[in-house]
Amino acid sequence: MVTRPSVALRRVKIAGLATYVPPRLLTNADLEKMVDTSNEWILQRTGIRERHIVDPGVATSDLAKEAALKAIAQAGITPADIGFIVVGTTTPDMMFPSTACLLQHKLGAAHAWGFDLGAACSGFTFSLSVGLQMVASGLHEYALVVGADVMSSIIDYQDRATCVLFGDGAGAVVLAPAGDGEPHILGVANEIDGSGGPALQMPAGGSLRPASHETVDARLHYVKQDGATVFKFAVRKTEEISRRVLADHGLAPTDVSLFVSHQANRRIIEAAADRLGFDERTVIINLERYGNTTAATIPLALEDAIREGRLKTGDLVLLASVGAGFTVGSVLLRWSL
Ligand code: UT7
């Protein structure tokens, strides 16, 4: 671990980005056989066609490792160069040790420390905010920021209101100091509002309701959601936090080249984008093929944007997320790859 405290903050850039989804598909047609739903309902109400789901025995750290190794290679470094790892996840491999520790070992990142960050669908934006400080402060040269979730491990495949929404996946970025004149991360704006907790939660398995026969019988180890409440909050706060982070930097929605929202529901993204005045050329929506992968949606969308030739070096990119908690996150950056 390099410890080099410094007073002046350094500029920080994304030096590598990669994602991973498990190969197995869960399609709307598959779900039609499992619960009382239809491809039409799912597509119309959410925009999702299919999701990727792990095979038994595959955990969050496994998906994270695949994404992280590629991101590290793209940054032109090795795992031994990483000083800090943060893993945004709601589905750690287990309560402890942290997924960051498991990942550090799997990567052979011998000089890194780190931890998990629990912010649900804001897992990536919050983790990016933390990793940014580690490099900006001079404490580390390279930080590995991961958003990874195996949502299929906490989804009730008898509950049609939630099981159609989620998928599994991982994304990772490597953060490094930006050189003079290089595009870099401009800033972040984040909020939490714990009054929204009951609207989206997994009630059991923690210290309040440890696992028992009763909690299992009552299906309390699964995601429970008041969809309409989350929907309205997400639309309102996605707009608010986006305007805030832009205003903090003297910028306006018209300056944005690419708006990368958390991917939970096509209608949420379109409503927020509409309020911000973004047209479809500015917005990426890729949840059709992945569903809501919680902490992984934003890197997955960034990678698809690159693949589609929609991101150029220097472009102004706005990331925004709303998730359980409630958590609200945003990151504004100039694209550096
Ligand atoms: O990232 C943060 C995590 N989550 C979110 O952002 C999700 C936010 N919420 C949503 O995306 C939407 O609220 C949902 C997609 C979850 C639900 O869409 P909605 O338009 O709000 O539907 P609703 O919950 O008001 O349900 C409408 C109807 C209900 O039937 P009744 O009561 O009107 O007869 C539901 O029972 O649709 C029914 N329904 C379904 N029907 C077919 C709910 N789920 C399904 C389903 N298939 N899978």
Side-chain angles (χ1 to χ4, degrees), residues 10-165:
R10 304 188 295 183
R11 290 179 165 172
V12 177
K13 66 174 182 182
I14 291 180
L17 163 82
T19 65
Y20 179 76
V21 289
R24 189 169 135 212
L25 280 181
L26 180 68
T27 65
N28 290 353
D30 296 328
L31 286 160
E32 282 177 344
K33 293 179 204 133
M34 296 160 66
V35 288
D36 179 15
T37 191
S38 65
N39 177 47
E40 293 68 34
W41 191 95
I42 302 170
L43 260 183
Q44 192 185 54
R45 310 302 289 174
T46 73
I48 302 165
R49 263 181 215 280
E50 60 191 27
R51 320 111 193 96
H52 292 253
I53 300 288
V54 297
D55 287 321
V58 177
T60 296
S61 65
D62 297 313
L63 308 191
K65 178 189 164 192
E66 299 297 328
L69 282 175
K70 282 191 270 172
I72 290 167
Q74 192 187 24
I77 60 169
T78 69
D81 296 316
I82 299 288
F84 173 74
I85 299 172
V86 56
V87 180
T89 187
T90 306
T91 51
D93 290 26
M94 55 193 83
M95 285 281 262
F96 68 88
S98 72
T99 306
C101 288
L102 301 171
L103 179 62
Q104 178 268 341
H105 182 58
K106 287 182 180 184
L107 292 173
H111 305 113
W113 71 290
F115 48 78
D116 291 359
L117 187 153
C121 296
S122 297
F124 185 75
T125 49
F126 279 25
S127 295
L128 197 49
S129 305
V130 171
L132 167 66
Q133 306 311 317
M134 294 295 174
V135 179
S137 64
L139 201 56
H140 297 291
E141 288 302 297
Y142 298 105
L144 176 67
V145 173
V146 178
D149 273 298
V150 174
M151 293 306 291
S152 59
S153 66
I154 57 167
I155 290 301
D156 184 351
Y157 287 99
Q158 294 181 15
D159 175 11
R160 70 176 184 173
T162 52
C163 74
V164 302
L165 303 175

Side-chain angles (χ1 to χ4, degrees), residues 90 118-122 126 192-193 196-197 199-202 224-225 230 262 294 322-328:
T90 306
C121 296
S122 297
F126 279 25
I192 58 172
D193 177 359
L200 183 49
Q201 59 175 343
M202 187 175 93
K224 309 285 176 195
Q225 174 169 242
V230 178
H262 168 57
T294 301
V322 173
F326 290 125
T327 56
V328 182

